[in-house]
Amino acid sequence: MHCLVVEDQQILLDLLATIVDAFSEISTVSKATTCAQAITVSKDMPVDLAILDLHLPDGDGSELGQRLIQRNPSIRLIVLTGAPEDFRISHELRGSIHALIDKRDSFDALHHSLSTILQPAHQRLTPRQSEIFGLIGAGKSTKEIAHILNSATSTIESHRKAIAQKLKLSGAELIREASLTRQINPRP
């Protein structure tokens, strides 16, 4: 899945792109600081998901959203704004906007919106698999997880194999994904 992040503030653009890139469902993240750059990116590669700032130096994020929808009618949009109370959704954007995020709390809201839209594979794990996945992300070995959960090592190995199969990952990829998931979605 190709995601385009359009934000004119470079620091915020880089942070948003980093958050998006942490989702394994996203294969490519492109960044743009203007409408013109965003249109160029969308011509080079179809965009499946776009995160759009409404106020850009060379245009309006809503108009950019409409142009992106013309290129890909199934695109999903997340709109960023510093004044969500002033945003009026146009008829053309109504079916494509999946979230409106206030920039003042953009990181938590973006993570939640992306999780809802993308439905990361780790969210489809059973409660026990999720618990083991979290412990893998914490850097625990199979033996340590077995001890923590008061289970046999062979049981934990079976769960690890089932998790890897469900997520379509190898052993090393599973550890990496669990660690990244823990970083972007820490457990209390």
Side-chain angles (χ1 to χ4, degrees):
M1 176 177 284
H2 178 210
C3 179
L4 171 63
V5 182
V6 186
E7 167 60 53
D8 60 331
Q9 297 172 19
Q10 189 67 48
I11 291 173
L12 183 55
L13 175 64
D14 291 340
L15 288 170
L16 292 170
T18 300
I19 290 170
V20 171
D21 195 40
F23 282 83
S24 62
E25 291 78 11
I26 303 291
S27 57
T28 307
V29 178
S30 298
K31 301 186 291 187
T33 57
T34 65
C35 291
Q37 287 176 352
I39 293 300
T40 300
V41 167
S42 72
K43 287 179 182 176
D44 293 341
M45 180 185 299
V47 177
D48 304 298
L49 172 66
I51 300 169
L52 306 175
D53 183 8
L54 286 180
H55 303 290
L56 296 163
D58 63 342
D60 178 75
S62 293
E63 292 172 13
L64 173 60
Q66 290 173 12
R67 290 181 72 184
L68 292 172
I69 291 168
Q70 289 171 354
R71 293 191 171 285
N72 180 3
S74 64
I75 192 171
R76 293 179 262 183
L77 303 175
I78 296 175
V79 175
L80 293 173
T81 180
E85 61 279 357
D86 296 335
F87 178 68
R88 300 292 174 256
I89 189 169
S90 69
H91 175 70
E92 296 84 6
L93 295 177
R94 191 169 308 276
S96 297
I97 293 180
H98 288 259
L100 175 66
I101 297 176
D102 186 336
K103 281 188 180 181
R104 294 168 288 202
D105 50 53
S106 60
F107 299 113
D108 288 339
L110 176 61
H111 183 268
H112 175 74
S113 295
L114 287 169
S115 293
T116 300
I117 291 169
L118 300 174
Q119 297 178 337
H122 72 270
Q123 291 182 350
R124 295 188 295 269
L125 299 175
T126 66
R128 187 60 155 191
Q129 289 173 338
S130 292
E131 187 176 18
I132 292 167
F133 185 71
L135 291 168
I136 293 168
K140 303 294 182 195
S141 69
T142 300
K143 285 183 181 182
E144 289 171 317
I145 295 170
H147 178 72
I148 291 167
L149 299 179
N150 199 24
S151 295
T153 303
S154 60
T155 300
I156 301 304
E157 287 171 354
S158 295
H159 279 295
R160 282 180 78 120
K161 287 178 186 172
I163 294 167
Q165 286 177 340
K166 205 176 256 190
L167 301 181
K168 298 180 175 117
L169 300 170
S170 70
E173 291 169 332
L174 175 63
I175 294 167
R176 180 183 177 279
E177 182 69 19
S179 178
L180 284 172
T181 299
R182 183 176 174 85
Q183 289 174 24
I184 62 172
N185 191 18
R187 296 176 185 244

